[in-house]
Amino acid sequence: MSPTQSKKRIAVIAGDGIGQEVIPQALKVIRATGADLEITEFDWGADRYLRDGMTVPPDGFAMLARDFDAILAGAFGDPRVKTNIHAKEILLGMRFRMDLYANVRPVRLLDASLCPLKGIEPKDVDFVVIRENTEGVYTDAGGVFKPGTPDEIAIQEDINTRKGVERIIRYAFDYCEQHKKLDGSPRRRVLMCDKSNAMTHAGGLWQRVFKEVSAEFPQIETQHMYVDALCMQMVRDPRSFDVIVTNNMFGDIITDLAAGLQGGLGMAASGNIHPGQTSMFEPVHGSAPPIAGKNLANPFGAILTSAMMLAHLGLTKEAENIEAAVLQAVRQKKTTQDIGGSLGTREAADNIVSLVK
Ligand code: ATP
């Protein structure tokens, strides 16, 4: 992306299930901001795969990296594709092949009514989880020996490279240094979450690297928690969290838990980022087959994701405009049913469009 080029080129892959419902709504909203965007939509997903067997065209990832400034993706997963092969090739393909190593998942409570915990206010939940996005158990390394027999052995390997661990931990410290909380106060602390008491080899690497990298940021406090203790703390009192860095699997799990603090999966946004390269933005939720096609899905996760993408592209005013509109809609209960309103997906997004305009 050239800093002088004003029109931002966005690739859009709505994908499957509710992805096909929430992404068009997010597009309506970003268009309403008046941002100078060139939007190109791709039909990669289960329907396309079932039609002609294509998941990603041969040049697909290189084309995304070359021709676009950012990617907005929906969700991938469809009960008709039992192997989920298309989801793996498209979503994990973007993360791995484009080396989008930092999965950034902000956790913000917009209104006290959305949090299932007693006495928790919006100011109490404003943290971010930085999840390693290219390694861990998601590389699918391992194998099965003597499948289908009583002697079957399944091995799932957890890949942790020095390079991968170091760059994600450094990303978390840089993020802490460069990003403020919603109320304008600085971020102060990076917490590393692992299970180094049981997973000693990988945990040992994470522990050593965390210590080394933290020495470069003496002004930032450090903290460590085992993932089990962190889960308990998250539902007991989430106030102390600021920036959390963790591996691929723990990041996946704790961000669903964290989404519960902010109103559920329908409210959570994320970015898959490689600084300086084309990055991909997607709501935290999946394709949610049980509610797909019913105009029930909450579009706010996708809309907040699109705001995150605009902010990443330097369109800060447009991003803030969208976030303010979502906040207002939540306060006015002009929302979908999952967070207490009575609107459908399209109607909830239409209201955001009018607030943004
Ligand atoms: P994946 O493995 O692809 O992340 P998942 O199985 O973890 O998917 P989701 O598809 O994200 O799960 O959703 C689980 C459930 O959460 C859905 O069936 C639905 O009830 C609820 N849910 C998820 N996203 C939304 C949304 N945007 N609006 C309303 N409800 C949602």
Side-chain angles (χ1 to χ4, degrees):
M1 177 194 345
S2 138
T4 51
Q5 158 207 321
S6 68
K7 194 186 265 302
K8 302 295 180 195
R9 303 155 304 166
I10 313 291
V12 177
I13 315 169
D16 307 330
I18 64 170
Q20 289 190 9
E21 294 175 83
V22 297
I23 293 298
Q25 304 309 317
L27 290 180
K28 277 195 322 206
V29 172
I30 56 175
R31 285 190 171 112
T33 65
D36 194 9
L37 305 173
E38 186 181 297
I39 290 171
T40 309
E41 298 190 49
F42 294 90
D43 66 352
W44 307 351
D47 285 341
R48 177 72 195 261
Y49 174 68
L50 290 168
R51 211 166 53 238
D52 64 12
M54 193 213 72
T55 56
V56 180
D59 178 44
F61 298 119
M63 177 270 300
L64 290 174
R66 186 184 60 231
D67 297 343
F68 294 94
D69 298 311
I71 305 158
L72 180 64
F76 302 91
D78 186 305
R80 293 171 300 167
V81 185
K82 296 275 177 282
T83 56
N84 220 22
I85 179 75
H86 72 294
K88 230 182 213 173
E89 290 191 5
I90 301 168
L91 186 61
L92 294 186
M94 278 190 279
R95 289 178 180 170
F96 289 4
R97 303 264 299 274
M98 298 177 75
D99 201 27
L100 305 178
Y101 67 87
N103 190 343
V104 178
R105 298 186 159 188
V107 183
R108 287 179 186 155
L109 176 62
L110 295 184
D111 190 76
S113 66
L114 298 183
C115 187
L117 304 184
K118 279 187 296 206
I120 294 293
E121 302 289 327
K123 66 174 172 32
D124 300 328
V125 181
D126 183 357
F127 62 92
V128 61
V129 179
I130 312 283
R131 165 190 175 190
E132 202 295 318
N133 215 21
T134 55
E135 303 191 342
V137 293
Y138 290 71
T139 57
D140 215 19
V144 180
F145 184 49
K146 297 185 181 173
T149 73
D151 297 324
E152 180 164 352
I153 298 171
I155 295 176
Q156 195 80 43
E157 286 172 326
D158 181 17
I159 308 289
N160 296 264
T161 68
R162 164 79 204 202
K163 176 183 154 194
V165 174
E166 185 174 332
R167 68 181 180 177
I168 195 66
I169 289 176
R170 182 164 284 111
Y171 186 95
F173 279 95
D174 282 337
Y175 186 97
C176 186
E177 200 173 55
Q178 290 161 18
H179 290 78
K180 291 192 163 51
K181 292 191 169 199
L182 216 51
D183 66 6
S185 63
R187 296 201 174 272
R188 299 181 193 284
R189 185 184 313 134
V190 177
L191 183 160
M192 187 187 63
C193 161
D194 65 20
K195 188 65 186 164
S196 52
N197 49 352
M199 301 165 76
T200 52
H201 310 301
L205 174 63
W206 279 77
Q207 291 277 351
R208 271 183 281 119
V209 174
F210 186 61
K211 206 167 163 198
E212 281 175 36
V213 174
S214 68
E216 297 168 25
F217 298 85
Q219 74 288 9
I220 296 177
E221 290 170 38
T222 58
Q223 196 184 352
H224 168 259
M225 281 179 108
Y226 296 129
V227 63
D228 42 356
L230 178 133
C231 288
M232 187 191 66
Q233 183 65 11
M234 212 174 255
V235 295
R236 234 172 60 101
D237 184 1
R239 277 176 285 213
S240 63
F241 295 120
D242 194 345
V243 177
I244 298 172
V245 62
T246 192
N247 71 17
N248 209 337
M249 185 167 67
F250 297 150
D252 189 4
I253 297 169
I254 67 173
T255 52
D256 264 33
L257 179 62
L261 298 175
Q262 57 184 144
L265 282 170
M267 294 299 291
S270 83
N272 298 262
I273 294 169
H274 186 126
Q277 297 184 22
T278 302
S279 295
M280 185 265 283
F281 297 80
E282 51 164 345
V284 171
H285 64 73
S287 58
I291 60 165
K294 298 178 179 162
N295 199 36
L296 286 173
N298 184 346
F300 289 180
I303 291 170
L304 290 168
T305 296
S306 65
M308 199 176 166
M309 177 183 75
L310 295 185
H312 179 82
L313 293 173
L315 300 166
T316 320
K317 278 210 178 72
E318 289 84 348
E320 286 172 358
N321 188 5
I322 294 173
E323 286 174 356
V326 172
L327 177 61
Q328 196 175 334
V330 166
R331 287 189 178 144
Q332 295 172 341
K333 298 238 177 304
K334 292 197 168 167
T335 71
T336 45
Q337 293 170 22
D338 56 308
I339 53 167
S342 59
L343 299 181
T345 308
R346 286 186 295 275
E347 295 70 27
D350 286 342
N351 178 50
I352 301 293
V353 166
S354 55
L355 291 171
V356 160
K357 275 184 175 163

